[in-house]
Amino acid sequence: MTNRDEFFYPHSRYYGDIKPENLVFNANLQQFAQQVNYICNLETAGKVEPEAAYKQIKDLWHRLRRSKQELAVGQHPFHRDDRGK
């Protein structure tokens, strides 16, 4: 990544549970936040209509939610219940 890319697309370090699905989702979440920030700034500057900005953010949200579901973040399908069952 170049200095310019780091400036325009900053990424913070991930401190949660180190699992592939969590790392991928965190990258998706950071990208979502950056894109929402850009859309909000464009709408504030009058470059994007409010309804268009809302639709773009709603579409981004649906993609993020679908990403979470596909990655099964927060789900433990192979987690064994050790309470004697």
Side-chain angles (χ1 to χ4, degrees):
M1 219 181 209
T2 66
N3 286 338
R4 184 186 72 176
D5 289 338
E6 289 175 10
F7 177 77
F8 285 113
Y9 308 108
H11 282 92
S12 298
R13 184 166 181 236
Y14 180 70
Y15 292 96
D17 289 337
I18 306 297
K19 296 192 233 175
E21 63 271 19
N22 290 353
L23 295 173
V24 171
F25 181 72
N26 181 263
N28 293 344
L29 183 60
Q30 288 189 45
Q31 183 179 30
F32 168 80
Q34 288 174 340
Q35 291 174 330
V36 168
N37 189 30
Y38 290 145
I39 293 167
C40 290
N41 289 336
L42 289 169
E43 193 276 332
T44 299
K47 305 291 183 184
V48 174
E49 294 292 323
E51 190 62 33
Y54 174 80
K55 184 183 180 325
Q56 290 175 11
I57 292 170
K58 186 176 177 182
D59 291 343
L60 289 172
W61 172 253
H62 287 298
R63 271 194 266 159
L64 181 65
R65 185 170 40 180
R66 187 171 43 251
S67 162
K68 180 183 179 289
Q69 291 169 347
E70 289 172 358
L71 292 167
V73 173
Q75 299 174 18
H76 306 287
F78 300 109
H79 181 66
R80 206 173 109 220
D81 188 0
D82 290 328
R83 290 181 276 173
K85 291 184 179 181

